Amino acid sequence: MSDTQLLICGKSFKQDERDRLSTAYPAVFVDGPGDMAGLDSTLRASIRAVAYKGHAPFGAEQMDLFPQLGVITNYGVGYDAIDVEAASARSIAVTNTPDVLSDDVADLAVGLMIAQARTMIRGHAHVASQRWAKEGEIPLNRKVSGSSVGIVGLGRIGREIADRLAAFKCEIHYSSRSEKETPGWTYHPDVVSLAQAVDFLVIALVGGAETKGHVTREAIQALGPRGVVINISRGTTVDEGALLDALEAGEIAGAGLDVYENEPNIDPRFLKLDNVVLQPHQGSGSVETRTAMAELQLANVAAFLKGEPLVTPVN
Ligand code: NAP
């Protein structure tokens, strides 16, 4: 019988994150869910906890490889890669890492707004290429403070974004499944009416099947020619084809994106656009926040293996 209780799954784990987990518990590592079946069956029979990081689907087929599996601890707040229904049906708990990353993701959302509206990528290129001295100023751009902003999904991250933009004197609108108690922000029951009311549409929804294509072609078109789409949630939450069509045709003013449908091999149509600011899904990617996420994941593994209540359960 193996004494390995923990499976660390995900090639995007940094070495220090892997070390932190495997120092705490005897662990085995695989690159992704696709490699789980290749583990020796005696080893698989001893695994009680999985520490997961990544976006590859982790479903019933993989869960059934581990007869003693009791918890899947996800590194990240978004657990759309994990089939939570299948986990619950097998009495497997799922945990995530909420709250500790909300500041970083909200900072990036506001950063994308400012970078897009104030043409900061163009400004940087103008300085770096020494065209400034030869050609003078870049064209005037667009003010962010005081603009109207629509937050799609006023959850933990959505609220942090709204709080920051309220300090920028923005007019805050939002949509979500239910109306919230807010300091005078305007609720819209659907995303089309939200888009009609604002210039910046900031998407902070959960991912997964239920929110796929939530921001529809109609919603993107409702934004109009001054409209900017900011997405820090998941690529799936927007009709990406419709977004690309609108950006190419100049039907909206631009976009600031951290997430895409087919990461990291994003649609090459994005690369030809000069009205977008593109980031490589780095919303929570500061040293401080990733450390906090890794610690919270480990705290969930530890709680489970000690038989204590999970810190941040999902199901
Ligand atoms: P949260 O607190 O659970 O908020 C999620 C929001 O989505 C809520 O407003 C919720 O509406 C809404 N929502 C959920 N299901 C919905 C549905 N079926 N239809 C419409 N709206 C729905 O989550 P969070 O902590 O703010 O995180 C949000 C997401 O950000 C994560 O799930 C993840 O995908 C993404 N994220 C991205 C990065 C990055 O690196 N870019 C980092 C962290 C997280 P209600 O308020 O009505 O419940």
Side-chain angles (χ1 to χ4, degrees):
M1 184 73 186
S2 163
D3 65 352
T4 305
Q5 296 187 312
L6 175 64
L7 172 65
I8 306 171
C9 176
K11 64 176 177 228
S12 56
F13 272 114
K14 304 270 187 268
Q15 191 59 48
D16 63 310
E17 294 167 344
R18 274 174 64 172
D19 291 347
R20 184 184 277 124
L21 287 160
S22 55
T23 303
Y25 297 98
V28 62
F29 174 80
V30 290
D31 273 349
D35 299 316
M36 289 173 175
L39 292 170
D40 168 76
S41 61
T42 311
L43 179 67
R44 281 196 272 111
S46 69
I47 297 295
R48 296 181 59 219
V50 173
Y52 183 61
K53 181 178 184 184
H55 301 287
F58 187 164
E61 199 186 321
Q62 287 80 36
M63 295 172 198
D64 288 339
L65 293 167
F66 305 99
Q68 304 267 22
L69 183 60
V71 72
I72 301 168
T73 61
N74 188 53
Y75 180 111
V77 67
Y79 48 84
D80 41 308
I82 300 168
D83 186 339
V84 176
E85 211 176 302
S88 300
R90 288 158 178 75
S91 302
I92 298 170
V94 177
T95 67
N96 65 346
T97 60
D99 297 315
V100 293
L101 45 65
S102 299
D103 279 339
D104 261 10
V105 184
D107 290 352
L108 195 83
V110 175
L112 282 168
M113 280 177 66
I114 297 172
Q116 200 286 333
R118 302 302 310 275
T119 63
M120 288 175 73
I121 306 295
R122 178 180 187 158
H124 176 90
H126 199 65
V127 176
S129 65
Q130 298 182 307
R131 289 203 304 275
W132 187 16
K134 289 185 221 126
E135 298 171 17
E137 291 182 359
I138 57 171
L140 300 183
N141 43 58
R142 166 124 179 242
K143 184 170 177 175
V144 171
S145 285
S147 57
S148 57
V149 180
I151 315 283
V152 186
L154 200 71
R156 288 172 292 244
I157 295 172
R159 245 178 215 275
E160 289 294 341
I161 296 168
D163 283 343
R164 281 158 177 71
L165 293 172
F168 280 62
K169 297 169 270 189
C170 291
E171 191 187 293
I172 309 289
H173 299 248
Y174 71 97
S175 67
S176 59
R177 288 173 298 188
S178 57
E179 190 166 357
K180 317 285 179 203
E181 252 182 59
T182 63
W185 304 340
T186 307
Y187 174 66
H188 296 258
D190 68 275
V191 74
V192 174
S193 93
L194 178 70
Q196 271 161 354
V198 301
D199 284 338
F200 291 91
L201 192 71
V202 185
I203 306 161
L205 280 177
V206 300
E210 276 189 34
T211 56
K212 186 161 172 49
H214 185 88
V215 178
T216 55
R217 185 176 290 271
E218 192 189 355
I220 293 164
Q221 284 170 350
L223 265 177
R226 281 182 60 76
V228 175
V229 172
I230 304 293
N231 191 7
I232 49 73
S233 64
R234 287 286 184 263
T236 51
T237 59
V238 185
D239 179 338
E240 195 171 274
L243 177 61
L244 280 160
D245 289 346
L247 288 165
E248 285 170 351
E251 286 166 5
I252 61 171
L257 306 171
D258 189 41
V259 289
Y260 314 82
E261 273 215 80
N262 188 25
E263 299 176 12
N265 302 305
I266 70 168
D267 193 318
R269 291 169 69 192
F270 280 117
L271 311 180
K272 299 204 178 90
L273 296 166
D274 62 4
N275 49 358
V276 295
V277 177
L278 306 176
Q279 293 296 300
H281 198 153
Q282 65 128 334
S284 64
S286 72
V287 171
E288 295 85 346
T289 292
R290 290 287 170 88
T291 303
M293 289 164 68
E295 281 169 0
L296 185 49
Q297 181 177 44
L298 177 57
N300 276 300
V301 171
F304 176 78
L305 291 177
K306 285 186 207 153
E308 292 171 1
L310 296 167
V311 188
T312 45
V314 164
N315 57 348

